[in-house]
Amino acid sequence: MRNRGTLSLHIPEPHNRPGDAPDFSNILIPPAGALERPPIDANARALSPYAYTLIRVLDAEGRAVGAWNPHLEPQALIKGLHDMMLTRAFDERMYRVQRQGKISFYVKSTGEEAVSVAAAHAVEASDMCFPAYRQQGFLIARGYPLIDMMCQCFSNVRDPIKGRQLPVMYSASSHNFFTVSGNLGTQFPQAVGWAMASAYKNDDRIAVSFIGDGTTAEGDFHHALNFAAVYRAPVVLNVVNNQWAISSFNGIACGEEATFAARAIGYGLPGLRVDGNDFLAVYAAEQWAAERARANLGATLIEHYTYRAEAHSTSDDPSRYRPTDEWQAWPLGDPVARLKQHLIHIGAWSEAEHQALSDEIATLTRETQREAETIGTLATGSRPAKATMFEDVYEEIPWHLQAQMKEAGV
Amino acid sequence: MTAMNMIQALNSALDVMLAKDPNVLVFGQDVGYFGGVFRATEGLQKKHGMTRCFDAPIAESGLVAVGIGMSVYGLRPVVEIQFADYIYPAYDQIVSEAARIRYRSGGDFHVPLTIRTPYGGGIYGGQTHSQSPEALFTHVTGLKTVVPSNPRDAKGLLISAIEDNDPVIFLEPKRLYSGPFDGYHDRPVQPWSKHGLSEVPDGYYSVPLGEAAVVREGSAVTVLCYGTMVHVALAAAEATGIDAEIIDLRTLIPLDIKAIVRSVQKTGRCVVAHEATQTSGYGAELSALVQEHCFYHLEAPVQRVTGWDTPYPHAFEWDYFPGPDRVAEGMRRALAS
């Protein structure tokens, strides 16, 4: 007789729920500097251990240690700190603007600024970014005007995308930043196509894309990896594992036995898992992958292990599904605080300089907000001319849209 | 001029564009070395090189997404979806992305992508190789939808589609690939070589998007149709002796409304014919437009002749297919009152 037991259905659950004391003891955190930095032409199969560990450079004392240390000049580190702090201050200001009812929606990137900012610093300005919706740090790091970002959020008359999209859905071809989609994951295989085109044209530019941990469950994620592997596309594919997809913890996206970086292994791609709150580690991994791509050796998948410190969006209340103080207990800390500690440790920064920069950024964001609000907000009725609503559906306005414009009185 | 069937004409269009514009790429399942399951890309890889015409994984969403990314780079990719019935996995990339990128980016980016796909029945393909999903695309603003009915138009329209700066869904009536099928399935198959429109100009030329063709002038009733149904409608007029004016729309979006209005105002009667299922089909749009634009010229209700609202039934292919008898019946209904 065979032993026929009773089946039971497994539903993954996170370790911590509201009311629980945050406990991250299940997370494996190797010491900083413990891993070798393989040559960029290393065989993907030999790299599989990197998908199950964490590349870390900054240790608890703020020292940069180990083979992955990218040895950045202090000025580059200060620029990184600046861009992360500006991103955080921008988020904070736009969040308040939303709470004042001046914009309809906002998403902050608090706690995960190092991912977007360090990635932007590690690649060339001419490389094309296909972002998800939480990569404002990438755009800020590329020097896109804050005023244009705010005008986009306000959907006012200076909104570069003419009031067509929700706040944060930026589009900036001038800064090689692709239009953000609200349909998740679509950008990932598009980035692969862009990279294939660059290779086809014997260009030297690569593509960089971002996707959330939750969206890796979409087919587009797998299409991206497969096409990237098949055609050796020069693209860096980033998974921002901030633990939460609205209210679903990442075990719902990929189960509890695999890492997101390990998704690469089955496709024959390198998968690197990185401490996403470590500016230097993110920079180093991104730089490694970018060099590999530019050497015509194909794509890399990088999982950035981080934590979404704030709500998914202004429409979300995370106290309903996770402990409110979980972020404070996050064992990989705060990316801004860690880079600041490092800069102070190497003698390139001081508390006074930090405070001065913080004040400067606060003034800048406040004054930019004032300027943007002077131009107008949705609430004040400032918006592009109504006739523009019918433009850009097609290159030229076809007869049926012209008829509808007439009907709409424009 | 060279006599070609529709496949040869499509192949010629791709050949011309690959030679003319280094930004044109062709890819899809089986399209590279093998030349496509219908042979539309035969010889193109050998002639133009591996990176100009190549095979792709069986992943329609990935194919279209990659085409979008290439378009954003500045290329003009031509993607082949092996059967229109397989296009649904790509629907999100087509609807939410290709069709919307120009608009949502405020004109910052655009997608000059052409998606070729064989559609329609009459080849005993069952429900997964016979569908006519055009209305799923005409309903999506931002897309253009094109359906040729003969080799000369197929080449000229495909060249226009590739050169267009908006995404184009290019639906190829696969029953017309080798001959001008008129719906009489029990009669010998006619080759294109006996048809005038199989004379295809050599080299580059284009047929503009948005211009219909009057394929038969008449005064009794207007028949609006496209693809295979053009030949079916001609056969119905021939069989009945009804003096029908038959309009091949060629492009569904943008639609040549002027040609439709001109004809219906002349005849006062209208039949709309398509292979696709009836409810919420493109015929409903045509019928509504005729009513809006020509109501005071109409002598009778607009008649629809379409596939039944069932999946495409394998064993009942010719019971489903709206052949010349059903089109003739539609014309008689339009003439009855």
Side-chain angles (χ1 to χ4, degrees):
Chain A
M1 290 286 285
R2 282 184 299 150
N3 177 19
R4 301 188 62 157
T6 307
L7 298 171
S8 62
L9 178 64
H10 175 66
I11 310 292
E13 260 293 284
H15 280 75
N16 309 314
R17 282 297 194 189
D20 296 341
D23 174 10
F24 291 111
S25 59
N26 61 313
I27 295 175
L28 173 83
I29 303 175
L35 301 172
E36 287 302 308
R37 183 184 189 273
I40 58 159
D41 60 353
N43 181 281
R45 196 177 295 192
L47 295 172
S48 58
Y50 287 88
Y52 292 99
T53 179
L54 278 178
I55 296 169
R56 305 183 69 228
V57 174
L58 290 173
D59 70 10
E61 283 71 47
R63 288 176 300 213
V65 294
W68 283 92
N69 180 2
H71 298 291
L72 294 175
E73 293 296 322
Q75 280 313 308
L77 294 171
I78 291 168
K79 176 71 167 60
L81 183 69
H82 168 275
D83 292 347
M84 289 199 290
M85 288 170 69
L86 182 54
T87 302
R88 186 167 292 185
F90 179 81
D91 278 350
E92 193 51 47
R93 186 144 290 276
M94 296 318 288
Y95 175 81
R96 265 186 277 156
V97 163
Q98 195 278 339
R99 284 300 185 246
Q100 291 163 0
K102 293 172 182 167
I103 61 174
S104 56
F105 173 84
Y106 195 71
V107 294
K108 299 168 88 171
S109 59
T110 314
E112 51 189 276
E113 293 92 343
V115 177
S116 295
V117 172
H121 282 234
V123 300
E124 301 288 328
S126 55
D127 293 332
M128 185 74 191
C129 178
F130 286 79
Y133 53 80
R134 219 184 289 277
Q135 266 67 59
Q136 55 264 54
F138 198 100
L139 198 47
I140 286 171
R142 279 199 167 167
Y144 187 72
L146 282 193
I147 183 71
D148 288 345
M149 294 176 78
M150 285 195 187
C151 288
Q152 193 280 323
C153 291
F154 282 128
S155 287
N156 66 19
V157 71
R158 241 190 84 178
D159 173 3
I161 58 168
K162 309 178 191 177
R164 304 262 173 79
Q165 287 222 77
L166 276 179
V168 317
M169 305 284 176
Y170 311 109
S171 177
S173 63
S174 58
H175 290 67
N176 295 311
F177 189 89
F178 188 59
T179 161
V180 180
S181 178
N183 290 62
L184 304 187
T186 48
Q187 72 281 0
F188 230 45
Q190 291 166 0
V192 174
W194 192 98
M196 288 169 65
S198 186
Y200 163 72
K201 293 295 252 182
N202 308 124
D203 198 345
D204 62 0
R205 292 177 294 161
I206 63 170
V208 184
S209 191
F210 295 85
I211 200 168
D213 49 282
T215 308
T216 63
E218 288 281 4
D220 277 342
F221 172 74
H222 300 274
H223 297 141
L225 293 181
N226 195 37
F227 277 78
V230 169
Y231 300 105
R232 290 189 197 158
V235 59
V236 184
L237 297 168
N238 297 281
V239 177
V240 186
N241 177 5
N242 66 11
Q243 314 298 318
W244 294 94
I246 305 187
S247 73
S248 301
F249 87 114
N250 55 25
I252 293 293
C254 82
E256 294 140 300
E257 302 305 321
T259 68
F260 293 98
R263 294 296 197 231
I265 295 171
Y267 294 97
L269 297 175
L272 307 180
R273 198 154 174 271
V274 180
D275 176 348
N277 289 11
D278 178 341
F279 183 91
L280 294 178
V282 172
Y283 185 99
E286 207 74 18
Q287 186 183 47
W288 184 93
E291 280 177 20
R292 184 177 169 96
R294 242 182 278 281
N296 225 26
L297 297 165
T300 300
L301 181 71
I302 302 177
E303 173 184 351
H304 301 272
Y305 202 67
T306 182
Y307 188 89
R308 194 194 76 209
E310 295 277 354
H312 159 69
S313 75
T314 48
S315 308
D316 176 37
D317 173 11
S319 72
R320 303 282 296 267
Y321 50 80
R322 68 183 190 188
T324 47
D325 55 349
E326 209 179 48
W327 152 237
Q328 277 79 26
W330 181 244
L332 296 172
D334 172 354
V336 173
R338 287 175 68 189
L339 187 55
K340 175 191 167 194
Q341 183 196 24
H342 174 61
L343 276 162
I344 290 173
H345 176 82
I346 62 172
W349 199 239
S350 67
E351 287 292 349
E353 285 171 298
H354 195 80
Q355 189 57 49
L357 177 58
S358 185
D359 292 346
E360 180 194 316
I361 283 171
T363 306
L364 174 68
T365 53
R366 187 173 58 245
E367 285 178 357
T368 310
Q369 183 197 345
R370 193 170 300 142
E371 187 188 347
E373 283 194 34
T374 305
I375 295 164
T377 70
L378 258 189
T380 63
S382 162
R383 42 178 198 177
K386 195 167 155 187
T388 64
M389 181 171 86
F390 293 92
E391 295 170 359
D392 303 319
V393 179
Y394 297 94
E395 184 177 30
E396 288 164 14
I397 303 179
W399 69 267
H400 64 282
L401 274 174
Q402 285 174 11
Q404 289 169 28
M405 287 175 81
K406 207 169 157 191
E407 196 180 334
V410 295
Chain B
M1 291 279 189
T2 305
M4 295 185 188
N5 64 29
M6 194 184 279
I7 281 291
Q8 290 163 332
L10 293 164
N11 183 280
S12 175
L14 295 170
D15 182 30
V16 164
M17 290 310 293
L18 282 164
K20 181 170 187 278
D21 184 352
N23 288 327
V24 172
L25 289 187
V26 178
F27 59 100
Q29 294 146 24
D30 301 303
V31 310
Y33 185 87
F34 179 59
V37 294
F38 290 104
R39 322 303 303 146
T41 55
E42 187 167 25
L44 297 179
Q45 185 182 74
K46 191 171 181 193
K47 179 171 175 185
H48 298 280
M50 288 294 288
T51 62
R52 305 296 305 280
C53 176
F54 54 87
D55 292 331
I58 304 173
E60 288 75 14
S61 180
L63 273 171
V64 172
V66 160
I68 291 169
M70 289 175 165
S71 299
V72 169
Y73 182 93
L75 304 187
R76 292 189 177 277
V78 183
V79 170
E80 178 179 308
I81 302 291
Q82 201 160 77
F83 286 87
D85 315 69
Y86 304 164
I87 207 167
Y88 308 123
Y91 204 54
D92 187 41
Q93 286 286 350
I94 296 171
V95 175
S96 310
E97 299 294 315
R100 300 289 149 77
I101 282 169
R102 183 192 290 280
Y103 191 78
R104 80 171 194 227
S105 71
D108 200 23
F109 294 97
H110 66 279
V111 180
L113 170 69
T114 302
I115 301 174
R116 289 180 45 240
T117 187
Y119 89 103
I123 63 154
Y124 281 107
Q127 64 177 3
T128 54
H129 302 79
S130 306
Q131 294 170 61
S132 297
E134 64 270 21
L136 296 178
F137 301 107
T138 58
H139 190 60
V140 177
T141 195
L143 297 179
K144 295 179 178 177
T145 304
V146 177
V147 189
S149 71
N150 61 71
R152 190 181 299 174
D153 282 354
K155 179 174 174 182
L157 287 168
L158 181 54
I159 287 172
S160 286
I162 294 169
E163 293 188 321
D164 200 274
N165 286 328
D166 289 310
V168 178
I169 306 294
F170 195 87
L171 295 164
E172 300 167 2
K174 62 174 113 45
R175 177 65 209 231
L176 298 187
Y177 275 160
S178 52
F181 179 65
D182 61 9
Y184 288 113
H185 59 93
D186 44 359
R187 296 184 188 172
V189 174
Q190 296 297 309
W192 274 111
S193 56
K194 293 182 180 171
H195 194 288
L197 292 173
S198 69
E199 285 296 317
V200 175
D202 299 318
Y204 175 90
Y205 70 97
S206 63
V207 172
L209 305 187
E211 284 187 20
V214 179
V215 295
R216 183 191 191 282
E217 289 193 19
S219 57
V221 56
T222 298
V223 181
L224 304 178
C225 50
Y226 47 91
T228 310
M229 293 306 290
V230 171
H231 303 277
V232 175
L234 283 166
E238 175 88 3
T240 58
I242 293 171
D243 188 22
E245 177 141 299
I246 296 171
I247 297 185
D248 177 357
L249 297 175
R250 303 200 286 195
T251 310
L252 305 189
I253 303 286
L255 181 67
D256 187 350
I257 188 70
K258 286 182 183 153
I260 293 171
V261 170
R262 200 183 305 125
S263 179
V264 176
Q265 287 189 347
K266 179 176 75 176
T267 63
R269 299 171 196 275
C270 183
V271 173
V272 177
H274 59 61
E275 257 188 88
T277 49
Q278 182 167 91
T279 302
S280 300
Y282 195 62
E285 180 62 32
L286 292 171
S287 180
L289 285 169
V290 168
Q291 182 269 131
E292 283 167 12
H293 289 263
C294 311
F295 186 77
Y296 296 106
H297 292 81
L298 283 174
E299 311 267 351
V302 177
Q303 299 295 321
R304 281 188 287 174
V305 179
T306 71
W308 308 120
D309 281 349
T310 68
Y312 216 107
H314 186 240
F316 302 97
E317 180 120 47
W318 304 115
D319 299 292
Y320 176 92
F321 188 89
D325 292 348
R326 286 186 52 209
V327 175
E329 182 53 32
M331 294 195 291
R332 283 190 205 99
R333 284 200 306 268
L335 289 163
S337 52

Short mmCIF file of all heavy atoms in Angstrom, two decimals, chain A residues 35-74:
data_model
loop_
_atom_site.label_atom_id
_atom_site.label_comp_id
_atom_site.label_asym_id
_atom_site.label_seq_id
_atom_site.Cartn_x
_atom_site.Cartn_y
_atom_site.Cartn_z
N LEU A 35 33.16 39.07 -0.32
CA LEU A 35 33.09 38.39 -1.62
C LEU A 35 34.15 38.89 -2.59
O LEU A 35 34.50 40.06 -2.62
CB LEU A 35 31.71 38.61 -2.24
CG LEU A 35 30.53 38.10 -1.41
CD1 LEU A 35 29.22 38.54 -2.05
CD2 LEU A 35 30.57 36.58 -1.31
N GLU A 36 34.59 37.96 -3.42
CA GLU A 36 35.50 38.31 -4.52
C GLU A 36 34.73 39.07 -5.58
O GLU A 36 33.52 38.90 -5.74
CB GLU A 36 36.08 37.05 -5.15
CG GLU A 36 37.11 36.36 -4.27
CD GLU A 36 38.28 37.28 -3.93
OE1 GLU A 36 38.86 37.85 -4.86
OE2 GLU A 36 38.56 37.44 -2.72
N ARG A 37 35.43 39.92 -6.33
CA ARG A 37 34.82 40.56 -7.49
C ARG A 37 35.31 39.79 -8.71
O ARG A 37 36.49 39.88 -9.08
CB ARG A 37 35.25 42.02 -7.59
CG ARG A 37 34.59 42.79 -8.74
CD ARG A 37 35.15 44.22 -8.80
NE ARG A 37 34.42 45.07 -9.72
CZ ARG A 37 34.67 45.18 -11.03
NH1 ARG A 37 35.63 44.45 -11.58
NH2 ARG A 37 33.99 46.02 -11.80
N PRO A 38 34.42 39.02 -9.34
CA PRO A 38 34.88 38.20 -10.47
C PRO A 38 35.20 39.08 -11.68
O PRO A 38 34.70 40.20 -11.79
CB PRO A 38 33.69 37.29 -10.76
CG PRO A 38 32.52 38.00 -10.20
CD PRO A 38 33.01 38.86 -9.07
N PRO A 39 36.02 38.58 -12.59
CA PRO A 39 36.26 39.34 -13.83
C PRO A 39 34.95 39.48 -14.61
O PRO A 39 34.06 38.63 -14.50
CB PRO A 39 37.28 38.49 -14.59
CG PRO A 39 37.19 37.14 -14.00
CD PRO A 39 36.73 37.30 -12.58
N ILE A 40 34.85 40.56 -15.39
CA ILE A 40 33.57 40.81 -16.07
C ILE A 40 33.25 39.76 -17.12
O ILE A 40 32.10 39.62 -17.52
CB ILE A 40 33.53 42.22 -16.72
CG1 ILE A 40 34.68 42.39 -17.70
CG2 ILE A 40 33.50 43.30 -15.66
CD1 ILE A 40 34.44 43.47 -18.72
N ASP A 41 34.26 39.00 -17.53
CA ASP A 41 33.98 37.97 -18.53
C ASP A 41 33.80 36.59 -17.89
O ASP A 41 33.89 35.56 -18.56
CB ASP A 41 35.06 37.94 -19.61
CG ASP A 41 36.44 37.65 -19.04
OD1 ASP A 41 36.57 37.59 -17.79
OD2 ASP A 41 37.39 37.48 -19.83
N ALA A 42 33.54 36.58 -16.58
CA ALA A 42 33.35 35.29 -15.91
C ALA A 42 32.15 34.55 -16.50
O ALA A 42 31.17 35.16 -16.93
CB ALA A 42 33.14 35.52 -14.42
N ASN A 43 32.25 33.25 -16.50
CA ASN A 43 31.17 32.40 -17.00
C ASN A 43 29.94 32.54 -16.09
O ASN A 43 30.06 32.48 -14.87
CB ASN A 43 31.65 30.96 -17.03
CG ASN A 43 30.60 30.03 -17.57
OD1 ASN A 43 29.69 29.66 -16.85
ND2 ASN A 43 30.71 29.67 -18.83
N ALA A 44 28.79 32.72 -16.70
CA ALA A 44 27.58 32.96 -15.91
C ALA A 44 27.32 31.81 -14.93
O ALA A 44 26.89 32.02 -13.79
CB ALA A 44 26.39 33.15 -16.83
N ARG A 45 27.61 30.59 -15.36
CA ARG A 45 27.33 29.44 -14.51
C ARG A 45 28.19 29.48 -13.24
O ARG A 45 27.74 29.14 -12.16
CB ARG A 45 27.57 28.16 -15.29
CG ARG A 45 26.95 26.95 -14.63
CD ARG A 45 27.15 25.71 -15.47
NE ARG A 45 26.45 25.79 -16.75
CZ ARG A 45 26.28 24.74 -17.54
NH1 ARG A 45 26.76 23.56 -17.21
NH2 ARG A 45 25.65 24.86 -18.68
N ALA A 46 29.41 29.95 -13.41
CA ALA A 46 30.32 30.01 -12.26
C ALA A 46 29.91 31.10 -11.27
O ALA A 46 30.35 31.10 -10.13
CB ALA A 46 31.74 30.28 -12.75
N LEU A 47 29.06 32.00 -11.72
CA LEU A 47 28.67 33.12 -10.86
C LEU A 47 27.44 32.82 -10.01
O LEU A 47 27.00 33.67 -9.23
CB LEU A 47 28.40 34.35 -11.72
CG LEU A 47 29.61 34.91 -12.46
CD1 LEU A 47 29.19 36.00 -13.45
CD2 LEU A 47 30.62 35.47 -11.48
N SER A 48 26.88 31.63 -10.15
CA SER A 48 25.60 31.37 -9.49
C SER A 48 25.63 31.61 -7.97
O SER A 48 24.61 32.04 -7.42
CB SER A 48 25.08 29.98 -9.83
OG SER A 48 26.01 29.01 -9.45
N PRO A 49 26.75 31.42 -7.25
CA PRO A 49 26.71 31.73 -5.81
C PRO A 49 26.35 33.19 -5.51
O PRO A 49 25.80 33.49 -4.45
CB PRO A 49 28.14 31.41 -5.33
CG PRO A 49 28.65 30.41 -6.31
CD PRO A 49 28.03 30.80 -7.63
N TYR A 50 26.66 34.10 -6.44
CA TYR A 50 26.38 35.51 -6.21
C TYR A 50 24.87 35.81 -6.16
O TYR A 50 24.46 36.88 -5.73
CB TYR A 50 27.04 36.39 -7.27
CG TYR A 50 28.54 36.47 -7.08
CD1 TYR A 50 29.40 35.53 -7.66
CD2 TYR A 50 29.11 37.47 -6.30
CE1 TYR A 50 30.76 35.59 -7.46
CE2 TYR A 50 30.47 37.54 -6.09
CZ TYR A 50 31.30 36.59 -6.68
OH TYR A 50 32.66 36.65 -6.47
N ALA A 51 24.08 34.85 -6.60
CA ALA A 51 22.63 35.05 -6.58
C ALA A 51 22.03 34.74 -5.22
O ALA A 51 20.85 35.01 -4.98
CB ALA A 51 21.97 34.19 -7.66
N TYR A 52 22.83 34.14 -4.34
CA TYR A 52 22.28 33.70 -3.05
C TYR A 52 22.95 34.37 -1.86
O TYR A 52 22.79 33.95 -0.74
CB TYR A 52 22.41 32.18 -2.92
CG TYR A 52 21.54 31.43 -3.88
CD1 TYR A 52 22.06 30.91 -5.07
CD2 TYR A 52 20.18 31.25 -3.62
CE1 TYR A 52 21.26 30.22 -5.96
CE2 TYR A 52 19.37 30.57 -4.51
CZ TYR A 52 19.92 30.06 -5.68
OH TYR A 52 19.12 29.38 -6.56
N THR A 53 23.78 35.39 -2.14
CA THR A 53 24.46 36.06 -1.05
C THR A 53 24.14 37.56 -1.12
O THR A 53 23.11 37.94 -1.72
CB THR A 53 25.97 35.77 -1.14
OG1 THR A 53 26.63 36.44 -0.08
CG2 THR A 53 26.57 36.17 -2.48
N LEU A 54 24.94 38.39 -0.54
CA LEU A 54 24.74 39.84 -0.69
C LEU A 54 26.11 40.48 -0.89
O LEU A 54 27.00 40.32 -0.05
CB LEU A 54 24.12 40.45 0.56
CG LEU A 54 22.60 40.37 0.76
CD1 LEU A 54 22.22 41.01 2.10
CD2 LEU A 54 21.85 41.06 -0.37
N ILE A 55 26.25 41.21 -1.99
CA ILE A 55 27.48 41.98 -2.19
C ILE A 55 27.37 43.22 -1.28
O ILE A 55 26.40 43.97 -1.37
CB ILE A 55 27.64 42.39 -3.67
CG1 ILE A 55 27.81 41.15 -4.53
CG2 ILE A 55 28.81 43.36 -3.84
CD1 ILE A 55 27.72 41.41 -6.02
N ARG A 56 28.36 43.37 -0.40
CA ARG A 56 28.33 44.49 0.55
C ARG A 56 29.72 45.12 0.60
O ARG A 56 30.72 44.40 0.57
CB ARG A 56 27.91 44.01 1.94
CG ARG A 56 26.57 43.27 1.93
CD ARG A 56 26.13 42.88 3.33
NE ARG A 56 25.78 44.05 4.11
CZ ARG A 56 26.20 44.29 5.33
NH1 ARG A 56 27.00 43.44 5.95
NH2 ARG A 56 25.86 45.40 5.96
N VAL A 57 29.76 46.43 0.68
CA VAL A 57 31.04 47.15 0.73
C VAL A 57 31.18 47.92 2.04
O VAL A 57 32.22 47.90 2.68
CB VAL A 57 31.17 48.11 -0.48
CG1 VAL A 57 32.43 48.97 -0.35
CG2 VAL A 57 31.20 47.32 -1.79
N LEU A 58 30.13 48.60 2.46
CA LEU A 58 30.20 49.42 3.68
C LEU A 58 29.95 48.56 4.91
O LEU A 58 28.92 47.88 5.01
CB LEU A 58 29.16 50.54 3.62
CG LEU A 58 29.42 51.66 2.61
CD1 LEU A 58 28.22 52.60 2.53
CD2 LEU A 58 30.69 52.42 2.99
N ASP A 59 30.89 48.60 5.84
CA ASP A 59 30.69 47.82 7.06
C ASP A 59 30.00 48.67 8.14
O ASP A 59 29.65 49.84 7.90
CB ASP A 59 32.01 47.21 7.56
CG ASP A 59 32.98 48.26 8.10
OD1 ASP A 59 32.57 49.43 8.28
OD2 ASP A 59 34.15 47.90 8.34
N ALA A 60 29.82 48.11 9.30
CA ALA A 60 29.05 48.78 10.35
C ALA A 60 29.71 50.07 10.83
O ALA A 60 29.03 50.97 11.34
CB ALA A 60 28.83 47.83 11.53
N GLU A 61 31.02 50.15 10.63
CA GLU A 61 31.73 51.36 11.05
C GLU A 61 31.83 52.41 9.93
O GLU A 61 32.44 53.47 10.12
CB GLU A 61 33.15 51.03 11.54
CG GLU A 61 33.20 50.41 12.93
CD GLU A 61 32.65 48.99 12.96
OE1 GLU A 61 33.04 48.18 12.08
OE2 GLU A 61 31.81 48.69 13.82
N GLY A 62 31.27 52.06 8.78
CA GLY A 62 31.33 53.03 7.68
C GLY A 62 32.60 52.93 6.85
O GLY A 62 32.91 53.82 6.06
N ARG A 63 33.33 51.83 6.99
CA ARG A 63 34.51 51.63 6.15
C ARG A 63 34.10 50.94 4.85
O ARG A 63 33.19 50.11 4.85
CB ARG A 63 35.53 50.74 6.88
CG ARG A 63 36.24 51.43 8.04
CD ARG A 63 37.13 50.45 8.75
NE ARG A 63 36.36 49.33 9.28
CZ ARG A 63 36.65 48.67 10.40
NH1 ARG A 63 37.72 49.00 11.11
NH2 ARG A 63 35.90 47.67 10.82
N ALA A 64 34.79 51.29 3.77
CA ALA A 64 34.57 50.59 2.50
C ALA A 64 35.59 49.47 2.40
O ALA A 64 36.80 49.73 2.38
CB ALA A 64 34.74 51.56 1.34
N VAL A 65 35.10 48.24 2.37
CA VAL A 65 36.02 47.11 2.45
C VAL A 65 35.78 46.09 1.33
O VAL A 65 34.66 45.95 0.83
CB VAL A 65 35.90 46.39 3.82
CG1 VAL A 65 36.36 47.32 4.95
CG2 VAL A 65 34.47 45.94 4.08
N GLY A 66 36.84 45.41 0.97
CA GLY A 66 36.72 44.26 0.09
C GLY A 66 36.89 44.59 -1.38
O GLY A 66 37.05 45.75 -1.80
N ALA A 67 36.84 43.52 -2.18
CA ALA A 67 37.15 43.61 -3.60
C ALA A 67 36.11 44.40 -4.40
O ALA A 67 36.40 44.87 -5.49
CB ALA A 67 37.27 42.20 -4.18
N TRP A 68 34.90 44.51 -3.84
CA TRP A 68 33.86 45.24 -4.58
C TRP A 68 33.92 46.75 -4.33
O TRP A 68 33.13 47.50 -4.90
CB TRP A 68 32.47 44.69 -4.23
CG TRP A 68 32.16 43.39 -4.91
CD1 TRP A 68 32.38 42.14 -4.44
CD2 TRP A 68 31.58 43.22 -6.22
NE1 TRP A 68 31.98 41.20 -5.34
CE2 TRP A 68 31.47 41.83 -6.45
CE3 TRP A 68 31.14 44.10 -7.22
CZ2 TRP A 68 30.95 41.30 -7.64
CZ3 TRP A 68 30.61 43.58 -8.40
CH2 TRP A 68 30.53 42.19 -8.60
N ASN A 69 34.79 47.20 -3.47
CA ASN A 69 34.90 48.64 -3.24
C ASN A 69 35.23 49.35 -4.56
O ASN A 69 36.27 49.09 -5.17
CB ASN A 69 36.02 48.91 -2.22
CG ASN A 69 36.19 50.39 -1.92
OD1 ASN A 69 35.46 51.22 -2.44
ND2 ASN A 69 37.17 50.71 -1.08
N PRO A 70 34.36 50.23 -5.03
CA PRO A 70 34.62 50.87 -6.33
C PRO A 70 35.63 52.01 -6.25
O PRO A 70 35.96 52.60 -7.28
CB PRO A 70 33.23 51.40 -6.74
CG PRO A 70 32.51 51.63 -5.46
CD PRO A 70 33.05 50.62 -4.47
N HIS A 71 36.12 52.32 -5.06
CA HIS A 71 37.15 53.35 -4.88
C HIS A 71 36.76 54.67 -5.55
O HIS A 71 37.51 55.20 -6.37
CB HIS A 71 38.51 52.85 -5.41
CG HIS A 71 39.01 51.65 -4.67
ND1 HIS A 71 39.44 51.71 -3.35
CD2 HIS A 71 39.10 50.35 -5.03
CE1 HIS A 71 39.80 50.50 -2.95
NE2 HIS A 71 39.60 49.66 -3.94
N LEU A 72 35.61 55.16 -5.19
CA LEU A 72 35.16 56.44 -5.75
C LEU A 72 35.86 57.60 -5.05
O LEU A 72 36.18 57.53 -3.87
CB LEU A 72 33.64 56.58 -5.58
CG LEU A 72 32.80 55.58 -6.37
CD1 LEU A 72 31.33 55.75 -6.01
CD2 LEU A 72 33.02 55.75 -7.86
N GLU A 73 36.07 58.66 -5.81
CA GLU A 73 36.65 59.88 -5.25
C GLU A 73 35.64 60.51 -4.29
O GLU A 73 34.43 60.39 -4.51
CB GLU A 73 36.96 60.88 -6.38
CG GLU A 73 38.05 60.44 -7.33
CD GLU A 73 39.40 60.31 -6.63
OE1 GLU A 73 39.71 61.14 -5.75
OE2 GLU A 73 40.14 59.36 -6.95
N PRO A 74 36.14 61.21 -3.27
CA PRO A 74 35.21 61.85 -2.32
C PRO A 74 34.16 62.73 -3.00
O PRO A 74 33.00 62.73 -2.60
CB PRO A 74 36.14 62.67 -1.41
CG PRO A 74 37.44 61.94 -1.45
CD PRO A 74 37.54 61.35 -2.83
#
